[in-house]
Amino acid sequence: MLELRPGCEACDADLPADLPGAFICSFECTFCHDCAATLQQVCPNCGGELLPRPRRVGAKLAANPASSQRVYKPRQL
């Protein structure tokens, strides 16, 4: 199951699990739409492709909540 981190690693913008706009790589590094575009859809941590993160909604989100642990690594984008 995906961790669904709550914020962008580059700018710390909130990324709710039930809304679109988050992008992840295969290691679940997480970025907002704007930062992913600036990074040209390439993860700066592992070099992997950044793809839209699936959403988790309703009862599934209630039963399997998103992570509350933020990963913030400010970068010069």
Side-chain angles (χ1 to χ4, degrees):
M1 176 171 32
L2 291 174
E3 188 176 301
L4 300 181
R5 295 177 185 165
C8 176
E9 289 187 24
C11 72
D12 205 33
D14 290 335
L15 297 171
D18 59 346
L19 296 177
F23 287 75
I24 61 171
C25 70
S26 63
F27 290 96
E28 298 185 52
C29 302
T30 305
F31 297 90
C32 69
H33 176 272
D34 292 343
C35 290
T38 299
L39 294 165
Q40 299 179 341
Q41 306 304 113
V42 176
C43 179
N45 301 322
C46 67
E49 183 179 17
L50 293 172
L51 298 170
R53 179 181 75 185
R55 296 179 299 143
R56 190 176 301 156
V57 297
K60 297 295 182 187
L61 180 58
N64 303 282
S67 172
S68 61
Q69 182 177 356
R70 295 184 91 85
V71 176
Y72 180 47
K73 301 175 185 176
R75 317 180 184 311
Q76 294 288 331
L77 297 179

